[in-house]
Amino acid sequence: MLAAVLDDGLEAVEAAVHEALLAGVTSDDVILNILARRREPPRPLTIVTPEDLALRHPPRADCGRYDSLRGLHAAA
């Protein structure tokens, strides 16, 4: 844990230890995992697709249509 203080700072390690104690876990692996999760960049926001870009005809899973496009001798 002392080495983690050098990398993440005392406040971050203290908060991770507090979170682990609240969860009833005292393992150093769990605390290091909490610190690693907090270091990850936030996930990007989802992009709302405008109505103009919405599909008019959604794709269908139709293997028979795919086979007809390949032709009879494509599998050879």
Side-chain angles (χ1 to χ4, degrees):
M1 289 300 96
L2 294 177
V5 171
L6 295 175
D7 294 334
D8 296 305
L10 181 60
E11 292 81 17
V13 173
E14 184 178 4
V17 169
H18 182 69
E19 183 180 332
L21 289 175
L22 287 176
V25 182
T26 57
S27 170
D28 58 343
D29 290 331
V30 172
I31 297 168
L32 293 175
N33 189 345
I34 292 170
L35 288 170
R37 279 188 282 130
R38 290 182 179 178
R39 265 187 252 121
E40 289 180 0
R43 293 184 181 196
L45 299 174
T46 56
I47 299 173
V48 178
T49 306
E51 289 183 29
D52 296 341
L53 296 178
L55 293 174
R56 291 186 187 134
H57 305 285
R60 293 179 297 169
D62 186 2
C63 296
R65 181 173 178 259
Y66 175 74
D67 289 338
S68 69
L69 293 173
R70 289 187 335 163
L72 296 175
H73 303 290

